[in-house]
Amino acid sequence: MTLDRETAMQVATVLSRGLPYIQRFTGKTVVIKYGGNAMENEELKSSFARDVVLMKLVGINPIVVHGGGPQIGELLQRLNIQSRFVNGMRVTDAATMDVVEMVLGGQVNKEIVSLINAQGGTAIGLTGKDANLIRARKLEVVDRSPELERAEIIDIGRVGEVASINVDVIDMLTRSNVIPVIAPIGVGPDGTSYNINADLVAGKVAEAMKAEKLMLLTNVSGLKSKEDKVLTGLTAQQVNDLIEDGTIHGGMLPKIRCALSAVENGVRTSHIIDGRVAHACLLEIFTDEGVGTLISRN
């Protein structure tokens, strides 16, 4: 059975339109933070894995950093370990950290690796502890509530921030045509494990690798104006203005600040994209319109 003329032309048009983007991004690094709906829906899981494999096959170097908050919460509940949050961050004592490492470094990481490999790719899973990939330090959370006479430091346990990224490990893998899949667990100078926000890890990996793009998959259609319209093609200054006037607020702030830091530290563009859309990563790379918000330095 052969294609009819109309279908054949549609296929040919799609393929030919991809050529300029392939030429532009061949040899470039793209860091993708994978999480949210895209990690929980079976169809979206498959489309994400296919996107990543296709990127690698056309010469782009994808690096995947993943989250896993819901999966951690589910296992903690089954183990009767209570979850507590401060400023949106999970308080992580020793017992919780054991669960974090089990879920992120084991269950979630290996599932993503398997998904990519099943689509014909070659993926290897890592945590930040492997070859000291992510050096970390304890995150200090400061409470500046108006009712306090002076600011207080809140101890939220083994929650960390990125001190440095070992780019040699990632370079070695990408040069070997391997797709790194990184769990956001860092290691301190004394060998202590730290739970780190996946957006933050993805941003710091993108900065360290001087990536072409940082792509943060979310459960929303992108950064929205006060009129509820998706904003895109924004400069760093425009984003800062939107923060100042209150357009960007609440839970979106940490993600936006991560995207801003990336473009201010060597990444060409950051993207807040809708992970609920099948093949969102390909649409963001191989079309001008994309499926989210693009932020650049200038």
Side-chain angles (χ1 to χ4, degrees):
M1 182 179 178
T2 60
L3 295 175
D4 62 76
R5 179 182 290 271
E6 184 178 350
T7 302
M9 288 304 297
Q10 288 174 347
V11 172
T13 299
V14 169
L15 292 174
S16 65
R17 283 179 177 172
L19 179 60
Y21 300 99
I22 293 171
Q23 291 171 325
R24 186 189 310 173
F25 299 125
T26 292
K28 305 293 186 181
T29 295
V30 175
V31 178
I32 307 165
K33 188 271 179 165
Y34 176 56
N37 282 63
M39 188 186 283
E40 298 169 19
N41 177 286
E42 293 301 322
E43 184 179 341
L44 293 176
K45 284 181 186 180
S46 178
S47 75
F48 172 78
R50 289 171 68 88
D51 287 3
V52 170
V53 172
L54 180 57
M55 284 184 217
K56 192 68 177 177
L57 286 174
V58 299
I60 299 169
N61 293 317
I63 300 168
V64 178
V65 178
H66 65 84
Q71 293 89 335
I72 292 169
E74 181 181 333
L75 184 53
L76 286 170
Q77 188 174 22
R78 281 162 47 195
L79 295 173
N80 292 319
I81 300 174
Q82 185 176 1
S83 292
R84 188 164 64 90
F85 292 85
V86 173
N87 295 341
M89 292 173 286
R90 190 187 303 274
V91 177
T92 307
D93 59 13
T96 302
M97 190 67 221
D98 286 344
V99 172
V100 168
E101 292 199 70
M102 189 186 311
V103 173
L104 294 184
Q107 173 194 341
V108 175
N109 189 272
K110 301 314 174 190
E111 181 185 12
I112 298 168
V113 167
S114 295
L115 284 166
I116 293 171
N117 291 344
Q119 296 295 338
T122 303
I124 288 180
L126 305 158
T127 75
K129 297 174 73 174
D130 294 313
N132 291 321
L133 175 60
I134 304 171
R135 284 286 191 177
R137 55 179 170 260
K138 186 178 175 66
L139 177 66
E140 286 192 349
V141 177
V142 181
D143 186 354
R144 305 183 188 275
S145 301
E147 61 270 16
L148 296 175
E149 291 184 7
R150 61 176 182 271
E152 293 182 358
I153 295 176
I154 305 172
D155 187 354
I156 58 172
R158 287 161 63 176
V159 177
E161 60 184 350
V162 176
S164 64
I165 301 291
N166 185 349
V167 297
D168 292 339
V169 176
I170 303 174
D171 276 334
M172 177 185 67
L173 293 172
T174 56
R175 285 198 307 269
S176 301
N177 287 322
V178 171
I179 300 166
V181 179
I182 301 171
I185 299 167
V187 61
D190 60 354
T192 300
S193 300
Y194 288 98
N195 180 18
I196 310 178
N197 176 274
D199 288 333
L200 177 61
V201 170
K204 293 304 179 185
V205 168
E207 291 175 23
M209 296 298 296
K210 301 300 180 189
E212 179 74 13
K213 294 177 180 290
L214 167 66
M215 305 175 73
L216 304 174
L217 271 66
T218 69
N219 291 340
V220 297
S221 54
L223 179 58
K224 292 188 176 182
S225 68
K226 290 180 177 178
E227 292 75 33
D228 203 38
K229 293 183 179 179
V230 175
L231 301 170
T232 192
L234 301 174
T235 65
Q237 184 56 55
Q238 287 173 319
V239 173
N240 279 316
D241 291 343
L242 291 169
I243 293 172
E244 287 294 320
D245 71 15
T247 300
I248 304 173
H249 61 279
M252 185 60 80
L253 269 173
K255 198 175 295 287
I256 290 295
R257 288 194 171 119
C258 167
L260 272 178
S261 175
V263 298
E264 290 169 351
N265 288 282
V267 179
R268 187 173 293 275
T269 56
S270 291
H271 306 250
I272 312 293
I273 65 174
D274 193 346
R276 301 168 301 177
V277 176
H279 302 294
C281 294
L282 288 188
L283 290 169
E284 194 66 22
I285 291 177
F286 295 133
T287 67
D288 287 336
E289 296 83 3
V291 286
T293 298
L294 179 150
I295 301 168
S296 58
R297 186 185 305 178
N298 300 312

